[in-house]
């Protein structure tokens, strides 16, 4: 961590903390989970401790989700496989992270989970966190836009333009009725800062088939957004 000379952190150094767990049915492993999330290094000061607690809670919540939601599915698949004399299931869940911005008093990252519960595509779930290192709290997306601006409309319009461009280029496929789905599935918490601009994304399946993963769009820095990063 680096102090900017005014008593506030300008950047945050972290090291991953990890956790693993295995669930069994009748002594047979049916579900495994692995977690890797950030831990401030060194773990000193009010801000770093708050961030540490936040991701510790996220880790515990993910493992509880695995035990309460995925384990019953894995057990049902295990018993069905025994009855049909088929291959035993191997359910696996992973939660990891990637830091996308670290500087100027802002620290941004994406956490993403991956659930493999059968022969179909893995389910990906992503969330973004951008921290104000002076205050020690996440920054709302609207704070990166001029007061009174219609930033949500601007982001949805950018996404729609990019979808049309990719369609014309044959570079991606989209669900029928994606325009309505854009508005319905937009979540202001699903964003992070990157070197290229402010990246915002939509849930898997919401606007595109699973082959497209998590659709992501980038608003370049400038007068219309993320002004706190450039001045």
């Amino acid at each position: 961590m680096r102090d900017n000379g005014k008593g506030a952190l300008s950047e945050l150094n972290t090291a991953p903390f990890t956790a693993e767990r295995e669930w069994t049915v009748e002594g047979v492993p049916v579900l495994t989970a692995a977690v890797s999330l950030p831990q401030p290094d060194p773990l000193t000061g009010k801000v770093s401790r708050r961030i540490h607690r936040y991701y510790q809670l996220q880790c515990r919540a993910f493992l509880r989700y695995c035990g309460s939601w995925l384990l019953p599915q894995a057990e049902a698949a295990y018993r069905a496989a025994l009855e049909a004399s088929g291959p035993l299931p191997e359910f696996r869940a992973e939660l990891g992270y990637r830091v996308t911005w670290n500087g100027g008093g802002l620290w941004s990252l994406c956490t993403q989970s991956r659930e493999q519960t059968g022969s179909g595509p893995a389910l990906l779930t992503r969330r973004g966190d951008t921290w104000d290192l002076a205050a020690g709290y996440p920054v709302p997306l609207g704070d990166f836009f001029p007061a009174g601006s219609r930033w949500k409309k601007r982001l949805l319009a950018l996404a729609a333009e990019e979808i049309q461009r990719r369609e014309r280029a044959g570079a991606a496929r989209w669900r029928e009725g994606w325009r309505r789905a854009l508005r319905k599935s937009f979540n202001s918490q699903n964003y992070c800062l990157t070197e290229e601009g402010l990246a915002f994304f939509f849930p898997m399946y919401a606007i595109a088939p699973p082959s497209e993963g998590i659709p992501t769009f980038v608003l370049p820095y400038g007068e219309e957004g993320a002004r706190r990063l450039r001045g």
Side-chain angles (χ1 to χ4, degrees):
M1 286 176 278
R2 182 177 301 171
D3 194 297
N4 65 8
K6 300 179 181 180
L9 298 175
S10 61
E11 61 183 46
L12 183 70
N13 296 328
T14 62
F17 74 84
T18 61
E20 294 186 3
R21 188 167 178 184
E22 179 181 83
W23 290 263
T24 64
V25 176
E26 299 173 345
V28 177
V30 296
L31 169 64
T32 58
V35 177
S36 177
L37 288 173
Q39 175 175 270
D41 182 25
L43 189 58
T44 57
K46 180 174 63 176
V47 172
S48 62
R49 288 195 298 269
R50 181 179 294 130
I51 291 174
H52 174 64
R53 287 194 301 269
Y54 180 88
Y55 291 106
Q56 287 282 319
L57 289 173
Q58 187 174 344
C59 174
R60 290 197 287 269
F62 180 72
L63 294 176
R64 284 197 303 269
Y65 164 79
C66 291
S68 62
W69 181 254
L70 297 183
L71 180 57
Q73 297 180 47
E75 182 175 0
Y78 165 79
R79 300 198 183 282
L82 287 182
E83 185 175 342
S85 298
L88 296 180
E90 296 181 4
F91 283 31
R92 181 167 179 81
E94 299 172 348
L95 175 63
Y97 75 99
R98 179 171 63 92
V99 175
T100 58
W101 182 274
N102 188 13
L106 296 173
W107 185 65
S108 191
L109 74 160
C110 286
T111 58
Q112 182 166 297
S113 65
R114 183 180 187 274
E115 301 171 27
Q116 187 67 59
T117 59
S119 58
L123 175 63
L124 304 178
T125 304
R126 182 185 299 167
R127 62 175 294 169
D129 295 315
T130 296
W131 293 84
D132 182 331
L133 296 180
Y137 291 99
V139 184
L141 176 56
D143 281 12
F144 292 102
F145 297 86
S149 65
R150 303 176 68 181
W151 55 267
K152 180 178 177 180
K153 182 178 181 180
R154 171 72 182 97
L155 293 179
L156 290 175
L158 181 148
E161 293 167 4
E162 180 62 16
I163 287 173
Q164 291 175 304
R165 186 192 68 79
R166 296 181 193 178
E167 276 187 327
R168 289 192 298 268
R173 295 185 299 155
W174 308 94
R175 290 193 178 278
E176 185 177 349
W178 59 261
R179 289 183 180 275
R180 181 183 179 187
L182 268 181
R183 297 188 298 271
K184 186 176 180 180
S185 60
F186 179 82
N187 186 335
S188 62
Q189 295 182 343
N190 289 345
Y191 87 94
C192 62
L193 307 179
T194 72
E195 291 290 339
E196 294 74 28
L198 188 151
F200 60 104
F201 44 90
F202 292 82
M204 188 176 181
Y205 291 99
I207 61 174
S211 59
E212 300 298 333
I214 297 177
T216 302
F217 308 92
V218 177
L219 175 67
Y221 298 124
E223 289 301 313
E224 297 189 70
R227 296 171 64 186
R228 288 178 55 174
L229 295 179
R230 293 293 183 262

